[in-house]
Amino acid sequence: MNLTALAAFSDNYIWMIDDGKRAIVVDPGEPGPVVTALDAKRLELAAILVTHHHADHVGGVDALRSRLQGPVFGPARETVPQPCIPLNEGETCEALGLRFEVIDVPAHTAGHIAFFNREGAGEPIVFCGDTLFSAGCGKLFEGTAEQMHRSLTKLAALPDATRVCCGHEYTLSNLRFAQAVEPQNEAVSRHVERCQALRAAGKPTLPSAVGFERQINPFLRCAVPEVIAAARAHGASAPGGSEVLAALRTWKNEFR
Ligand SMILES: [Zn+2]
Ligand SMILES: [Zn+2]
């Protein structure tokens, strides 16, 4: 199985898994990069997975239907292009012989889901849309800090080796914020250098891995004393996970 990040718009990724014959794509915000990738490798499109309703994640779904040999799977609690097989937490879907478990991860949007594949494609994979980013998390458009804390806690509990496939290339700007939160975190500083080199070479900084994110991502480190202290200095009302996350999220929104 091959895993590829197809660049779309200015900083989106449309994730593609293929077995050399057939492919699954995740969150096709536009059709162009998918069509190009399918044609280049002569792949059939076996299924589309959708994590949430934002246009930069679903905008290409209808245009791809003429190429699609299978279903579109998406969140049950959101309005996405139809027909789409609706999925809730605990349900599974299958494509390309791979089984994906659905995890509810509301907060960026109210019905946002993630797709987790435990085996069959090498190391586990999670497609987490705009909930978990490398070194960051999505904005709280339709949910609360408490919901985001719960959603991220679920994703952080996945196996360490799980490849984190998120919807945007935000890593370097997220890492600058992570350095402001934890100036002493050497894993963060080292990762900045690696990601700068990757971006300079035109390569994605993704996928990341769950275990690594727990070392560098301040939003997964809301129980770490240094992170709590930084959040309290930026308005966290209490040392609890949701309060710390709320303060980090507000601070990050204003961070330049
Ligand atoms: Zn979004
Ligand atoms: Zn997005």
Side-chain angles (χ1 to χ4, degrees):
M1 292 283 179
N2 308 299
L3 177 67
T4 317
L6 309 176
F9 305 114
S10 58
D11 53 28
N12 281 71
Y13 287 125
I14 300 168
W15 288 94
M16 181 171 87
I17 305 185
D18 75 87
D19 62 5
K21 290 186 176 146
R22 296 180 307 148
I24 303 170
V25 295
V26 185
D27 287 356
E30 56 177 343
V34 177
V35 170
T36 303
L38 294 174
D39 289 347
K41 294 174 84 175
R42 294 168 179 245
L43 301 168
E44 279 180 16
L45 182 56
I48 295 176
L49 311 184
V50 167
T51 63
H52 69 294
H53 70 82
H54 284 159
D56 63 315
H57 296 253
V58 301
V61 169
D62 284 335
L64 290 169
R65 287 191 199 273
S66 58
R67 301 288 295 258
L68 184 60
Q69 315 275 324
V72 179
F73 295 105
R77 295 184 292 123
E78 299 207 341
T79 305
V80 295
Q82 296 297 319
C84 170
I85 298 179
L87 295 170
N88 283 297
E89 169 125 324
E91 294 180 331
T92 61
C93 63
E94 256 188 64
L96 235 61
L98 301 174
R99 186 164 173 270
F100 294 92
E101 299 166 35
V102 173
I103 307 170
D104 277 344
V105 287
H108 174 71
T109 61
H112 199 306
I113 59 173
F115 294 87
F116 174 60
N117 171 256
R118 199 174 290 275
E119 57 187 17
E123 299 294 350
I125 302 180
V126 67
F127 297 110
C128 49
D130 290 354
T131 297
L132 172 63
F133 293 122
S134 183
C137 75
K139 287 191 175 164
L140 306 177
F141 288 124
E142 300 174 9
T144 63
E146 196 183 346
Q147 283 177 312
M148 181 57 91
H149 183 247
R150 234 179 294 140
S151 295
L152 292 179
T153 301
K154 288 184 195 174
L155 296 174
L158 297 175
D160 282 1
T162 305
R163 288 168 285 179
V164 175
C165 300
C166 25
H168 292 268
E169 179 61 66
Y170 290 159
T171 313
L172 277 174
S173 68
N174 287 343
L175 284 169
R176 277 199 305 115
F177 178 71
Q179 283 184 306
V181 177
E182 287 187 278
Q184 315 297 332
N185 186 329
E186 285 177 17
V188 171
S189 337
R190 281 196 300 272
H191 199 47
V192 170
E193 288 174 27
R194 270 196 301 269
C195 290
Q196 279 169 342
L198 286 167
R199 294 310 290 151
K203 292 179 183 162
T205 62
L206 303 167
S208 186
V210 165
F212 185 63
E213 287 302 313
R214 284 208 308 272
Q215 294 174 40
I216 63 157
N217 190 325
F219 295 91
L220 301 188
R221 296 170 61 77
C222 292
V224 171
E226 288 78 7
V227 176
I228 295 172
R232 297 222 72 166
H234 284 80
S237 55
S242 320
E243 290 86 357
V244 169
L245 190 144
L248 292 180
R249 191 57 265 180
T250 306
W251 176 11
K252 172 79 165 58
N253 290 348
E254 292 149 10
F255 185 79
R256 292 286 174 272

